[in-house]
Amino acid sequence: MLAVAAVLTAVLLVFHGAVPNRVGGLGSLLESFLPWLGGVVVVLLILALVRRSALALVALLLPAAAWTYLFGGLLLPAPDPGADDLVVVQHNVSDENTDPAGTARSLARAEPDLVALEELVPPALEVYARALAPDYPYRTVRGTVGLWSKYPLTGSRPLDIRPRDIEEEWERGLRTVAHTPHGEVAVYVAHLPSVRVRASGLASSRRDESAGLLGDALAAEQRSRVVLLGDLNGTVDDRALDPLTTRLNVAERGVGLSFPAAFPLARIDQVMARAGTVGSLRTLPATGSDHLPVVARVTWH
């Protein structure tokens, strides 16, 4: 039984894309927590040692190898920083954050070049603006998302990623150009709709539609250097984010589990890049939000 469980775990790791999404979004649900199958491997290893089962131990080589191939690279040391790297912070600050000033100071201590925030609501927005202004004199805000920058921003505009069935005012995306010392970068900030895990499965249709619209915008982007920062309400393994992950590079180093802040289970706060490598990504200390901030370093090709 242990050997069979080990083989099944390996099959799920390698062929997770074959799990259908038509019934309850099972495929996306599995992929959202795919790295945690490593915990299953550990439990099976302990049981195999207790049972002294040579067959089970041999079978466990399959899921162990599969997990290492898929996720082992995230645990390797980050590459040395480059002189023209772009350092970015991504954070869903939460519309219920009671300490926006403290949150802003915490993010600034990481000394990023760009700071992307979601769930910006008045009067907290004014607090973030005042607190970040000394180090980040350039900013653009559209609806509940915003970007603060050390470098000038031009061409700022809202990004239409609203699902069709949302009729009320809903502005959760922007596109701008950051004029950095090493060239111009198109910066996208997005907050995709939330997903819900219910008895019937994963409810993610709005998130999936919004991801498709964002992918279309990225495909139409004319500038070669692109950075996407956002709370995407999905992991990079989730097939629903394929419109993004097939067009942009994702983090090569760092696990960076960001949600929920009290006990992080998944990284749904993402940094992706085109014509660049997201060489390292890590979380920052908790703020007043239910998300952890993430900081990443983008190295241009």
Side-chain angles (χ1 to χ4, degrees):
M1 291 297 294
L2 292 176
V4 170
V7 172
L8 288 176
T9 302
V11 169
L12 287 175
L13 281 164
V14 176
F15 300 106
H16 56 86
V19 177
N21 241 356
R22 293 186 296 274
V23 180
L26 289 179
S28 284
L29 185 60
L30 169 65
E31 291 162 345
S32 296
F33 301 100
L34 197 63
W36 288 99
L37 286 180
V40 176
V41 177
V42 173
V43 171
L44 291 175
L45 174 61
I46 294 172
L47 293 175
L49 291 173
V50 170
R51 295 292 301 273
R52 299 181 181 179
S53 171
L55 176 62
L57 289 172
V58 171
L60 278 168
L61 293 175
L62 293 174
W67 191 94
T68 301
Y69 175 77
L70 291 173
F71 305 112
L74 297 175
L75 305 179
L76 295 176
D80 294 332
D84 61 346
D85 288 356
L86 187 72
V87 180
V88 299
V89 160
Q90 149 59 30
H91 191 29
N92 179 327
V93 294
S94 174
D95 55 8
E96 298 180 352
N97 193 326
T98 59
D99 185 20
T103 297
R105 290 192 297 269
S106 177
L107 301 180
R109 278 195 289 270
E111 300 183 344
D113 301 303
L114 303 175
V115 178
L117 305 181
E118 297 84 44
E119 293 199 11
L120 293 170
V121 293
L125 172 58
E126 288 73 20
V127 178
Y128 289 114
R130 287 195 303 270
L132 292 171
D135 296 314
Y136 302 92
Y138 307 99
R139 69 181 173 101
T140 179
V141 176
R142 294 292 186 274
T144 58
V145 301
L147 181 74
W148 277 257
S149 172
K150 288 184 177 180
Y151 311 119
L153 301 173
T154 61
S156 301
R157 58 176 172 81
L159 196 62
D160 186 9
I161 56 173
R162 179 171 61 177
R164 287 168 294 181
D165 65 339
I166 296 181
E167 298 179 355
E168 65 269 19
E169 185 177 351
W170 196 93
E171 197 171 355
R172 289 168 49 164
L174 67 83
R175 182 265 188 195
T176 189
V177 176
H179 298 262
T180 79
H182 305 288
E184 297 179 349
V185 181
V187 183
Y188 286 71
V189 182
H191 183 191
L192 301 189
S194 299
V195 300
R196 295 288 184 268
V197 180
R198 300 171 178 165
S200 58
L202 190 70
S204 63
S205 59
R206 284 181 171 178
R207 189 273 313 267
D208 300 351
E209 182 182 352
S210 193
L213 294 171
L214 180 55
D216 291 342
L218 290 166
E221 175 59 53
Q222 297 299 306
R223 296 185 184 273
S224 58
R225 290 183 172 182
V226 177
V227 171
L228 169 62
L229 310 166
D231 172 6
L232 304 185
N233 274 302
T235 70
V236 296
D237 302 302
D238 187 342
R239 70 193 68 177
L241 297 192
D242 282 355
L244 312 178
T245 56
T246 56
R247 294 184 170 98
L248 304 175
N249 298 319
V250 301
E252 296 182 348
R253 300 287 185 270
V255 178
L257 303 180
S258 65
F259 183 83
F263 188 78
L265 294 173
R267 188 179 81 228
I268 63 175
D269 295 274
Q270 308 293 353
V271 176
M272 303 182 189
R274 187 172 77 191
T277 300
V278 186
S280 63
L281 184 149
R282 60 183 175 87
T283 57
L284 295 174
T287 66
S289 171
D290 55 345
H291 291 241
L292 293 177
V294 298
V295 59
R297 184 177 294 274
V298 180
T299 301
W300 301 114
H301 296 163

